[in-house]
Amino acid sequence: MKASREVKVSTNPGRAIHPFIVPMLLIICYLVAVFIKAGTFTGWLLTLFFLSVYNELRKFPSLKGYSFSTIILAAVSLAFYYPQHFIAAGQFRLSGLIIPLLQLIMFGMGCELNPADLAAVMKRPKAIITGVVCHYSIMPLVGYLLATVFGFRADIAAGIILVGCCPSGLASNVMAYLARANLALSVAVTTVSTLLAPLFTPLLMHFLAGRLVTIRLSDLIWDTTKVVLLPVIAGLLFHSLAKGRVRWIERILPLLSMAGITLIIVLITAAGKEHLVQVGWLLLLAVILHNVTGYALGYGFSRLLRFNEQDSRTISLEVGMQNSGLASGIALLMGGMATIGLAPAVFGPVMNVSGSALANWWHNRSPGNGKNTAMRSAKKIRPV
């Protein structure tokens, strides 16, 4: 029996190969290509690296939460190195897809909302109000502070502030589930902050970024309304009228949302490559600080207000994770896709990577208070 076990182990090739050997080889090849200025194939090597990382992450249940971020990074790599392919298709400017994609995503969110599931959480308005107030105070003010301290040119700085003025990102619901937080509260805060966006986002931009770029308040309110509020209402009506009779739509909407967010980030990256090269690393640092500060202050204020661990995790994620896709769409409507839209394009991948890391870290640490509401409505989570 001992001999047979030895033969079995020695003949199993899976145990002899490091699971991340292919990504390691690809990143080495990429760095060599950058060093020797290989040119044409450099972007493909970086893209293949991220795709190979995606393939490896999917093999480990504890790491699957990071996989979507690698797809975004792979797509962004292509857009950065070969932007000419993501500007236009014939006579059609691909930027024209951004607003319809955002409206489709918001419609999908409306389809997923179920008033009955949120009724229990609405009986605890303190948690929802705290989450929304923290979100619309911490992130705009931190964005304004960072834009001022880093001394970015006016349109780039306005983009950082714009990210902070947008509602919670839909990805926060996924991260709340992974983090064993209060999922119902997460959905409620995301919903309320999104419905308030047509009012709060334009007003905050007017007061915080009005000196940097031209803000037409009435136009911005209408633009945000048609991108956010009207599609969400349409989704709610569709959900009420269909009542589960078209479940195939519910199955494909999450996939469309993921594809839509990725494509929006790709189009913004391609359009703003020249500006991104000039401020890339500095903008990345500012965005990381913006994102991480949101997590920290959201969690800290929640604990100061004596919320339990689950609710504190939820509010932390709701504050730190923004709807960067919406920010990109607003930047386009403001006429600054390649400048104002840069910060949202960088914030999206950063948010997904950091949110996945934080959620996975919390997942392995029990909140230790009350019933874990993270398992409620798990089927309704939209992984974007």
Side-chain angles (χ1 to χ4, degrees), residues 175-222:
M175 301 312 168
Y177 171 62
L178 294 176
R180 301 167 71 180
N182 189 333
L183 177 57
L185 175 61
S186 176
V187 174
V189 173
T190 299
T191 303
V192 174
S193 69
T194 300
L195 294 176
L196 290 175
L199 176 63
F200 279 90
T201 299
L203 286 175
L204 288 167
M205 278 296 289
H206 175 72
F207 287 116
L208 297 177
R211 65 178 181 82
L212 299 174
V213 293
T214 301
I215 304 290
R216 296 182 178 87
L217 188 58
S218 59
D219 290 346
L220 191 54
I221 290 174
W222 167 241

Side-chain angles (χ1 to χ4, degrees), residues 53 80-81 94 139-140 193 256 284 331 353:
V53 171
F80 183 81
Y81 277 95
L94 294 177
M139 293 305 279
S193 69
L256 291 176
L284 177 62
V353 172

Side-chain angles (χ1 to χ4, degrees), residues 32-283:
V32 171
V34 171
F35 180 75
I36 65 175
K37 299 180 179 179
T40 306
F41 300 104
T42 306
W44 282 108
L45 287 171
L46 185 59
T47 302
L48 289 173
F49 162 71
F50 286 121
L51 290 176
S52 65
V53 171
Y54 169 83
N55 183 60
E56 297 298 332
L57 291 176
R58 300 296 294 178
K59 297 176 182 178
F60 300 91
S62 62
L63 298 178
K64 281 186 177 182
Y66 300 93
S67 58
F68 177 58
S69 302
T70 59
I71 291 294
I72 293 180
L73 292 171
V76 167
S77 300
L78 277 180
F80 183 81
Y81 277 95
Y82 314 107
Q84 66 275 14
H85 299 298
F86 301 94
I87 302 296
Q91 300 298 316
F92 178 71
R93 302 285 295 182
L94 294 177
S95 60
L97 295 173
I98 292 178
I99 300 304
L101 285 172
L102 278 172
Q103 291 172 324
L104 178 62
I105 293 168
M106 291 297 109
F107 174 81
M109 179 181 177
C111 289
E112 293 292 322
L113 294 179
N114 190 335
D117 292 338
L118 301 178
V121 182
M122 292 299 181
K123 295 177 182 178
R124 300 173 56 215
K126 179 183 175 182
I128 299 175
I129 293 172
T130 300
V132 173
V133 170
C134 284
H135 183 87
Y136 277 122
S137 58
I138 291 173
M139 293 305 279
L141 293 176
V142 171
Y144 177 80
L145 178 63
L146 289 171
T148 302
V149 170
F150 277 80
F152 291 112
R153 49 183 273 191
D155 45 6
I156 303 296
I160 297 174
I161 297 172
L162 174 60
V163 171
C165 295
C166 282
S168 303
L170 297 175
S172 62
N173 303 153
V174 182
M175 301 312 168
Y177 171 62
L178 294 176
R180 301 167 71 180
N182 189 333
L183 177 57
L185 175 61
S186 176
V187 174
V189 173
T190 299
T191 303
V192 174
S193 69
T194 300
L195 294 176
L196 290 175
L199 176 63
F200 279 90
T201 299
L203 286 175
L204 288 167
M205 278 296 289
H206 175 72
F207 287 116
L208 297 177
R211 65 178 181 82
L212 299 174
V213 293
T214 301
I215 304 290
R216 296 182 178 87
L217 188 58
S218 59
D219 290 346
L220 191 54
I221 290 174
W222 167 241
D223 289 339
T224 312
T225 299
K226 71 181 181 183
V227 171
V228 178
L229 191 59
L230 296 182
V232 168
I233 292 173
L236 278 167
L237 292 174
F238 179 83
H239 177 82
S240 300
L241 295 174
K243 294 182 180 179
R245 289 194 292 269
V246 282
R247 295 192 179 277
W248 63 272
I249 293 181
E250 296 177 4
R251 289 194 293 269
I252 67 170
L253 279 174
L255 297 176
L256 291 176
S257 295
M258 288 189 291
I261 290 293
T262 304
L263 183 55
I264 288 169
I265 294 174
V266 163
L267 295 177
I268 297 290
T269 302
K273 177 186 175 178
E274 293 183 6
H275 300 288
L276 195 56
V277 169
Q278 296 172 8
V279 298
W281 290 110
L282 200 59
L283 181 61

Side-chain angles (χ1 to χ4, degrees), residues 297-313:
L297 293 181
Y299 184 84
F301 278 121
S302 300
R303 297 305 280 175
L304 284 175
L305 293 172
R306 301 185 181 279
F307 284 105
N308 63 36
E309 177 66 16
Q310 272 192 312
D311 290 353
S312 298
R313 292 181 183 186

